[in-house]
Amino acid sequence: MHSPAPSIARAAAWMAGWLTLMVVIAVAGREATRELSVFQIMLMRSTLGMAMLWPLVHAAGGLAAVRTTRLRQHTVRNAVHYAAQYGWFVALTLIPLAHVVSIEFTMPIWSAALAVLFLGERMSGLKWLAVLLGLVGVAVIVRPHAGEVNLGQIIALVSALGFAVSVVLVKSLTRTDAAVTISFWMLVVQSAIGLVPALWVWQWPSVQVWGWVVVVAFCGTYSHYCFARAMQHADATVVVPMDFLRVPLTALVGWLMYAEGLDLFTVLGIALILAANLLNLVRLPAGGWRVGRKA
């Protein structure tokens, strides 16, 4: 497969799609779990998602376009992602939206380290500073509740580690497989994994909840397509810190829709996260500052 030329601008554009869809899915997921089991929501998301993804599969050349020689890696990636996604949906029912996403953002530190260890990516000093500054922003948002660690926070933290493993595996897969192939196998594998537990707790959704499930399916399908496209244009160490913007965006939505607190700590954390993203987009000249290298 021919890899697209590296482009931070294109990666940022695809990440804008990812961010929008992920903020929407957080709301839709919370609303759907008021009536349905998380297992059922995840199965419906995957099966509906296959129909929604078909126009892209067809445009790419049909089923022949999603053939892969790395089925084992797709299976491992999606088993890990399924478990992490289940935990994420459960956490949405236990703690505020902004806190779920904030705790999730311990993920970049894990994914950055894994990308360096297993993918051979290099971390410049500015990239490390962007990651650390973003994590400080996340810590500031969560800080007023730091003394009240509960089950929802623990589940969100474990999910973050699972997402980090998934991110690194996606980046590895983009070296050989197209974004539509990665998205297709995500839906197939996760449908297979989730079939039995979902049928065990199955109940027919109301008309209103059907609407939320469709939104979850659409956002869940195309958010990962956007993320995989972003990964094709830039290293994981560039793409992942852009995702920090999801914290202030989710905090704002939580405040607007659920009257969840948007206090001084949250505003300060948002400012730090925005600064981290701006820093991450700074391009160094060839031979620029890198960790472990003298200036």
Side-chain angles (χ1 to χ4, degrees):
M1 184 194 74
H2 175 69
S3 297
S7 169
I8 290 179
R10 290 181 180 180
W14 284 110
M15 283 302 290
W18 157 268
L19 288 166
T20 301
L21 295 171
M22 286 302 293
V23 170
V24 173
I25 199 176
V27 174
R30 170 175 282 189
E31 294 300 320
T33 54
R34 295 182 188 276
E35 182 177 313
L36 301 179
S37 161
V38 173
F39 284 124
Q40 182 176 345
I41 293 170
M42 291 177 67
L43 178 66
M44 295 176 74
R45 169 205 167 188
S46 296
T47 52
L48 289 172
M50 280 191 276
M52 293 176 177
L53 187 67
W54 180 250
L56 288 181
V57 174
H58 179 71
L63 293 178
V66 296
R67 289 176 181 168
T68 181
T69 59
R70 304 180 68 186
L71 185 57
R72 179 180 298 178
Q73 288 91 334
H74 281 285
T75 301
V76 171
R77 179 253 162 171
N78 285 294
V80 173
H81 186 268
Y82 181 90
Q85 190 73 68
Y86 176 83
W88 188 80
F89 275 116
V90 171
L92 284 177
T93 69
L94 300 175
I95 55 179
L97 292 179
H99 296 172
V100 174
V101 177
S102 297
I103 294 170
E104 180 187 342
F105 275 89
T106 57
M107 179 268 286
I109 217 132
W110 312 127
S111 58
L114 290 170
V116 171
L117 288 173
F118 296 106
L119 300 182
E121 294 187 7
R122 301 184 69 187
M123 284 286 281
S124 70
L126 283 178
K127 286 182 183 179
W128 277 116
L129 184 58
V131 169
L132 292 175
L133 190 60
L135 289 176
V136 169
V138 170
V140 168
I141 292 175
V142 178
R143 182 172 176 261
H145 303 270
E148 304 173 11
V149 177
N150 58 40
L151 181 61
Q153 293 171 328
I154 293 172
I155 291 172
L157 184 59
V158 174
S159 296
L161 182 56
F163 284 135
V165 175
S166 177
V167 163
V168 173
L169 289 173
V170 166
K171 181 57 182 177
S172 175
L173 286 167
T174 60
R175 293 175 174 176
T176 57
D177 291 354
V180 68
T181 305
I182 294 170
S183 299
F184 174 82
W185 286 107
M186 177 190 75
L187 297 171
V188 170
V189 173
Q190 294 194 24
S191 292
I193 292 173
L195 180 61
V196 172
L199 292 179
W200 185 262
V201 296
W202 185 270
Q203 64 178 27
W204 286 104
S206 64
V207 173
Q208 180 180 0
V209 171
W210 259 113
W212 289 118
V213 170
V214 170
V215 173
V216 168
F218 179 84
C219 294
T221 300
Y222 281 96
S223 63
H224 287 275
Y225 177 78
C226 290
F227 189 81
R229 289 300 301 268
M231 284 291 207
Q232 289 179 323
H233 289 290
D235 284 348
T237 49
V238 172
V239 171
V240 171
M242 293 181 190
D243 198 21
F244 280 132
L245 283 170
R246 189 150 44 100
V247 179
L249 290 173
T250 307
L252 180 61
V253 170
W255 175 63
L256 290 172
M257 295 195 62
Y258 301 107
E260 295 177 355
L262 190 63
D263 54 20
L264 181 61
F265 287 104
T266 303
V267 173
L268 178 58
I270 288 171
L272 290 169
I273 291 164
L274 288 172
N277 275 274
L278 291 173
L279 189 61
N280 183 59
L281 295 176
V282 172
R283 301 199 66 172
L284 291 174
W289 176 34
R290 296 190 180 276
V291 173
R293 176 176 177 176
K294 294 181 180 179

